[in-house]
Amino acid sequence: RAKTGGGHDVNVDAKGFTPSSIEFKKGEKGAITFTRTSDDTCAKDVVFPEINLKKELPLNKPVVVEVPTDAARTLTFTCGMGMFKSAVVIR
């Protein structure tokens, strides 16, 4: 699949989020496509606590999440239970 302007794909399975760290340049479009490929995971949602965002991740359906890239910072994202932790780094 072609990447569109700063988009990233994240696979969600029994091991959590892959890749576990994503980088965007400040000001570029912060689109992340999450696809849950396993029912054997607690990551049935993705949660970005700092920006108060939670999205359900239905099985085998790509879910696009837009994150703000207006400031250089690190945004954590976790599964709904907080067991899997990953990060978006905006530089």
Side-chain angles (χ1 to χ4, degrees), residues 2 10-11 37 42 46 48 50 52 62 68 70 78 80-81 85 90:
V10 174
N11 187 48
T37 57
C42 65
V46 62
F48 287 82
E50 291 98 340
N52 198 21
D70 53 336
T78 69
M81 295 169 72
K85 282 194 172 43
I90 298 135

Side-chain angles (χ1 to χ4, degrees), residues 11-14 35-44 59-60:
N11 187 48
V12 185
D13 60 20
T35 306
R36 179 166 65 90
T37 57
S38 171
D39 248 343
D40 188 24
T41 181
C42 65
K44 293 186 167 79
L59 188 62
N60 295 322

